[in-house]
Structures are given as C-alpha cells and as structure tokens.
Amino acid sequence: MGLAVAASGACAAPPRDRKIGYAVVGLGRYAELIMSKFAECEHSRLVALVSGTPEKLEKFGTQYNIHKTHRYSYANFDTIRDNPDIDVVYVILPNSMHAEYVVRAAKAGKHVMCEKPMAVSVAECETMIAACRAAKRKLMIGYRSRFQPHNMLAIQLAQSGFVGPTRIITSEHGFDAKPNQWRLDRPLSGGGSLMDIGIYSLNAARYLAGENPVEVSAIESTDRSDPRFRTVEDRISFLLRFPSGIEATCVSSYSSNHNAYRVIGTKGWIELEPATSYEGQKMRINRDGRTEPRDPPAGKAQHAAQLDHLAECIFDDKQPLVAGEEGLADMRVIEAIYRSAREGQRVRLV
Amino acid sequence: MGLAVAASGACAAPPRDRKIGYAVVGLGRYAELIMSKFAECEHSRLVALVSGTPEKLEKFGTQYNIHKTHRYSYANFDTIRDNPDIDVVYVILPNSMHAEYVVRAAKAGKHVMCEKPMAVSVAECETMIAACRAAKRKLMIGYRSRFQPHNMLAIQLAQSGFVGPTRIITSEHGFDAKPNQWRLDRPLSGGGSLMDIGIYSLNAARYLAGENPVEVSAIESTDRSDPRFRTVEDRISFLLRFPSGIEATCVSSYSSNHNAYRVIGTKGWIELEPATSYEGQKMRINRDGRTEPRDPPAGKAQHAAQLDHLAECIFDDKQPLVAGEEGLADMRVIEAIYRSAREGQRVRLV
C-alpha cells in the first residue's frame, strides 16, 4: 500500500502520521457500537458527532471527549466543511436518509462511509456515487464482513477452488424483528427484511461467487395482519444464477433467526455459522468426506479494520474495496428481487 | 392397528400369521439393497424376482433361495397373477417404466410398492392410482424417509411447534452424478437431478411443513457441454410458498453433494444432516440460543419399516402413509418446478 501513487486530480492526501478524523452522523444503537470501536483503530479516530437529539450529543460527547464545537445538529450539519479535523463522515441514519447526507457530506468536502443498504433505490445510489466523484471524495459502504477474518478466508478458499469449483451457495439471514422500530416503517427503511438483513444473504452470495447474478427469482411471504408488517415485508426468499452457472438459494426473514452460509463445490463445502455476526464466527470445512472446524489466521477485528481501510484508502488515494459501486450492485439486485416477488416473473440482470 | 376394520369391498386380507410375499421387479443397484433388507422384516419376505437379465435372475435367485418357478422375465411378467405367493410387486425400474409395470401388477391382482419418483408425469400418476383403485389393490410409493426415526422425530417436533411455528425450511439434496447411467438418459429418467435426488428436497419440505405448496419458482443451471447433461438438467433450485406462509428454499444438484434440511421456527431450528441417507442420520436442535445433538427413540430401520408398513396395510386394509396420492402430489410440484424454470414464471398450484 505504501507504493501507491496518488491519482491525478486527487486532493493532496493527509500525512500518514496523523489519524483520520471521523464524524458519526446518527447516534442510534449501531452508531454506539461503531463509536466504541475507534479505540481499536490504528489510523482512525472519532472527532465529531451529528444528532438531532441534544441529550445524545451531550452523553456521547462527554463519553468520547468530543469538544462542544465538534457536536453538530442536522440544522448546522453543513458547517462541517469548516472543520478541518473531520476527514470522513460516517452516515448511520435510517436508510431513506443515506442519500441526502452522503451528498451533503461530499459537498462539504468530506470523504464518506455509508451504512448498508447504501440507499433505498438504484437512482439514489447513482446520485451518491456521482456526488462523491464530483467532489473528488472517497465513498465506502459499511460492508464490514469483507474485513472479518473468517469471511476473508471463506472468500479466498471458495475462489481458489479449495472444495472444487463452486456449484451452489446457500445463504440465510434473519431475525425476529421487535415492533415499533424505524426499520418497520417503509418511509424510513425503504423495505423490510431484505433491506436490513437479507442484504447479507445477497452480499455474501455475491462476494463468495465473485460475480454478479444474471437471473433473480423471489417469493415473498408476509402476514399483513402482524402489526410489524403493515408496510414492509417479513420473509422474502430468492434464487440467483451467476454467469459461471453457480446457483444461490437465499433466505431473508424478519420472523426467524438465521445467520449462515455455505459454499458447495464439487469436492465439499465451506460453511460459516454464524457468518456475519459482530463476533463469534465459526467455520467448518468438508472435503473428501470429512468435516472439520477451521480458524482463519488472527487479524484485526472487522469494525476497526473497516474504519482503518477507508483511512488507508485516503492516505494512498485508492478505491475502497467496498466502494459505492458495491452498494449499487446490491441495490440493483434488491430492486430485481422485489420486482420478481411482486410480478411473479424471473428478472434478468445484465 | 389391530383394531382396524376391513373396508367394504376390499378383498379378504391375508392372515397375519404369514409374511407378505414380495416380487422385486428390476434388479439394479437399489433393488440389491432392498433385497438384502427382507432379512430385517417382521411381516415381509422376498418370494419372486423379475428381470430381463437371466444372469441376474440366476445370481439373486440362488442368493435369496428363490425357486426357479418364481423367477420371471418381462415377457412372462403377467403370469405372476397365477402365483399366490406374490402379494406385492415392488417396482424398482427406471422412472419411465414405473407406470407400465404398476398398472400391469395391479391388473395381475397384486398390491404395488413403486419407487420414487412415482412416474414421469402427473398423467401417469393418475393412471396408476386409478388402476390400483379399480383392482382394489394398495399402491405405496417408496418414500423410505417417512419410516426413518430421525425424520419421524423431525416431523413430530416441527409440527408440534417445538421450535415455535415454522417460518422457513431449507432443504438440499444432490450428488456428483457419474456418467453413462440410465438416470442421465431422459427417455428412461424423465428428467435430471430433480427427478432423482431433488425430489428428496421437495418431499422433505412437504412432510416437514405438513402442507402442499401454493407457489413455486425455480431457476435451472445446466452446462450442456458436460456430456452427462446432454438430455437432463444438472442443478435446479426452487422456492416454495405454503398456505400457512412457510417458505422453503430447496436445492437439487447433479454436480455437488448435499443431504440436509433445516426447519426454522420462531424459537430455533431442527436440523438433519445427513437427512435422507440410507444410514447415519444426525439431528441437531437449536432452541433458546443453544444448539445440541439429539437422538430419536430407537426404531426399526427405514427399509424394513417401509416394507413392513405395506404388509400391515394389507393385513388391516388401511391406506399406506405414502400412497399413490403422495407420489402424485410431488409430481404436481415437479411439473410446476420444471415449468417455472422453463418459462421464467412463478407457478401457482391450487
């Protein structure tokens, strides 16, 4: 990475001897977790907070020693442009607010980390990518599993043919959604389990296959009399076919717990369960008829690795591993899944 | 079972103090296994053989002590009507020959056990059921897993809500097909992996849900340049939606090994892997966050239990647990899966 040459037209990279400063936007539960992870980072530090709730700004500002001048509301958010301590804005808002805050952050001259799903439509994703490109700022999506050691090993083994060429991928993600959350409110979430947790099934299928699917078919099952599911879907299962012929069967559920995937090749399989949790991943490998647990080499924990990855991309002026284009690729498939479920048709993607 | 009353119009049931006599038709590899299982039966015995290969009749006739008068060719098959030792004809022929031999067996006045898939079309299944009904003979399909103790316990636990109401079923079956077999020749097999091994994914989803699906969606992936797959499909994944809202994701493959299912309820899951093998089933149950192995109560081995079940149904004049209607129900879904994959449409079943 130290050998990277600065791309022409890029702004001067900050010196590597300081840490990249993050502003976290939206102080909900996941933001709480993220804020706690800067302590593990080599290249990243928390320098600013953005929230509509003064009590949260006060509480977390005190906890993380954030100066009062570095605590912002949504009203004065755009003045972050005048704060040179902020290099990156990390958007951890409800899904339908991602696009607006990513674009505003880019216009304020900041790099952006945006939680997944990147947005609630392909059109929004394209706008966000264009805004960051115009501002010559990095855009990275919070696909933390790509920095998680078991997942990194699974990708490497799958794509190196360790269990033979991949034939089938099964990927299941779900949880029993508690009522009265923004994620169950379509205007904020843009959709139900697929936007929130099924995206892990999809994203894993894509990173394990190393390809984008060309065919999508989906069936939805939602009990509209359940107060949780008045505006968003519960279960939506989907099939993907990839150019190499790999087929993936994927589960997305808001009424049952799932967190697993398996890559099945001609000679065996690679399994993670749990696969994409915050911690506790377990891998099993089946080869030549024997099943054994396997541990990856020790590595940086996924959240710190994700935060530091963007910092290193800024230092070296490199494209993040999971740039906006990765979020857009998922969103294209998500739109196809919804369309297939709605119209009862297989959808082709090109 | 001893309390069952003979149904009106049925032929007189044989006395219970003798064993029901089976003729096995088709002496291939699976028939070899079946013949070896009569030694474990309480109510069933092997009394006759039918084959087009004199060497096989000689070999197995000698091995199982079958008198020369009880060894038949396909040419004189219909003379089994004159052999009172034969109560049941067990059809273990290539799929496209099932219908003919079931109908001929019924016309010869014999009860019938028929291997799965029951036939190669819904129309054939209906003809077979009608022929057995007209002859007042039992028709049972060789769904041995319904007599396998782990599967029986899984069905009981799933349907009693042991892990909460079922939300999702995942079911995967496949193997790496060797070339040059009748199963790869469509005129004999009627189809590829789905007819042969994917039917286990389908049948398990149905018996675990305890319902018939109302929606089917499928995607096929077949490399037609692979000599094995000139006339039949390799992989065909399918989704099922059941009336209660259960969704099933199912794998069928001729190029990778799979033998597992999982029933996921609101409180945990029930898993079998291997699930439908000849032996070695293993069950794990996850409930309240803990995963533990579980063994069913000891029971009769599946093949002997399957053979004896039909014998008991004959003694007691009862409908088999897996009668022709069960084979027909699978075949309706199989036709829908093929249609969905071919036409790119979700198919509704009523």
Side-chain angles (χ1 to χ4, degrees), chain A residues 38-318:
Chain A
F38 285 98
E40 299 169 27
C41 289
E42 282 177 85
H43 304 300
S44 314
R45 64 189 183 118
L46 179 65
V47 298
L49 304 176
V50 185
S51 171
T53 311
E55 296 72 26
K56 286 187 180 174
L57 287 172
E58 175 62 25
K59 177 184 169 191
F60 296 114
T62 304
Q63 182 175 342
Y64 289 104
N65 212 13
I66 307 298
H67 195 274
K68 286 197 163 46
T69 57
H70 289 47
R71 302 178 193 173
Y72 296 85
S73 68
Y74 295 120
N76 69 0
F77 170 77
D78 303 289
T79 65
I80 60 169
R81 80 175 65 239
D82 305 319
N83 187 335
D85 290 342
I86 301 173
D87 300 289
V88 175
V89 170
Y90 192 161
V91 177
I92 319 186
L93 292 162
N95 308 338
S96 68
M97 299 169 72
H98 288 183
E100 178 189 342
Y101 280 84
V102 167
V103 170
R104 285 168 68 178
K107 285 188 174 161
K110 306 303 181 186
H111 301 287
V112 188
M113 179 85 81
C114 178
E115 255 318 302
K116 65 201 166 312
M118 181 173 171
V120 298
S121 71
V122 164
E124 283 188 347
C125 294
E126 287 169 341
T127 302
M128 295 155 81
I129 290 169
C132 292
R133 189 176 294 142
K136 297 195 170 70
R137 302 286 85 185
K138 307 290 178 199
L139 171 57
M140 174 167 159
I141 312 303
Y143 288 111
R144 58 182 166 73
S145 296
R146 294 295 289 276
F147 304 95
Q148 197 284 323
H150 295 73
N151 282 271
M152 291 164 74
L153 178 57
I155 294 169
Q156 184 203 313
L157 292 174
Q159 294 183 7
S160 70
F162 188 73
V163 292
T166 302
R167 296 300 186 200
I168 298 279
I169 296 168
T170 63
S171 187
E172 296 107 34
H173 287 81
F175 61 88
D176 197 22
K178 300 288 164 287
N180 306 316
Q181 301 180 77
W182 68 258
R183 67 186 72 229
L184 300 175
D185 185 12
R186 178 175 293 272
L188 290 172
S189 62
S193 70
L194 179 58
M195 282 284 185
D196 187 25
I197 185 73
I199 192 174
Y200 286 87
S201 290
L202 166 60
N203 194 247
R206 288 182 52 251
Y207 62 67
L208 293 164
E211 304 179 281
N212 282 314
V214 289
E215 284 187 347
V216 175
S217 194
I219 289 186
E220 184 198 325
S221 182
T222 304
D223 176 2
R224 294 291 174 192
S225 72
D226 184 326
R228 298 176 298 173
F229 305 129
R230 283 203 197 100
T231 66
V232 299
E233 82 279 1
D234 171 8
R235 282 155 287 167
I236 187 160
S237 299
F238 51 98
L239 305 175
L240 308 173
R241 194 171 65 79
F242 292 87
S244 68
I246 295 172
E247 287 199 354
T249 64
C250 299
V251 168
S252 172
S253 174
Y254 256 172
S255 60
S256 44
N257 291 300
H258 312 251
N259 193 309
Y261 62 65
R262 194 179 278 194
V263 180
I264 303 97
T266 53
K267 296 177 190 164
W269 44 257
I270 301 156
E271 175 196 84
L272 258 64
E273 181 167 21
T276 62
S277 45
Y278 296 154
E279 56 189 3
Q281 271 78 357
K282 289 204 188 312
M283 176 181 274
R284 293 193 304 166
I285 292 184
N286 173 285
R287 208 157 72 130
D288 303 323
R290 280 193 313 279
T291 302
E292 287 172 354
R294 171 120 173 204
D295 286 314
K300 200 185 278 191
Q302 61 185 328
H303 290 99
Q306 173 200 331
L307 294 164
D308 276 348
H309 176 75
L310 180 53
E312 292 183 293
C313 288
I314 293 167
F315 288 140
D316 300 334
D317 192 22
K318 292 178 73 170

Side-chain angles (χ1 to χ4, degrees), chain B residues 21-27 35 38 45-51 57 60-61 64-67 69-72 80 83 85-90:
Chain B
Y22 275 78
V24 168
V25 182
L27 301 181
M35 289 188 286
F38 285 98
R45 64 189 183 118
L46 179 64
V47 299
L49 303 176
V50 185
S51 172
L57 287 173
F60 297 114
Y64 290 105
N65 212 11
I66 307 297
H67 196 274
T69 57
H70 288 47
R71 302 178 193 173
Y72 297 85
I80 60 168
N83 188 335
D85 290 343
I86 301 173
D87 300 289
V88 175
V89 169
Y90 193 160

Side-chain angles (χ1 to χ4, degrees), chain A residues 167 215 217-221 235 237 239 241 245 247 249 255-256 258 262 264 266 273 340-341 344-346, chain B residues 167 217-221 235 237 239 241 245 247 249 255-256 258 262 264 266 273 340-341 344-346:
Chain A
R167 296 300 186 200
E215 284 187 347
S217 194
I219 289 186
E220 184 198 325
S221 182
R235 282 155 287 167
S237 299
L239 305 175
R241 194 171 65 79
E247 287 199 354
T249 64
S255 60
S256 44
H258 312 251
R262 194 179 278 194
I264 303 97
T266 53
E273 181 167 21
S340 175
Q345 303 262 4
R346 182 160 71 225
Chain B
R167 297 300 186 200
S217 194
I219 290 186
E220 185 198 324
S221 183
R235 283 156 285 168
S237 299
L239 305 175
R241 194 172 65 79
E247 286 198 354
T249 64
S255 61
S256 44
H258 312 251
R262 195 180 276 194
I264 303 98
T266 54
E273 182 168 23
S340 175
Q345 302 262 5
R346 183 159 70 227

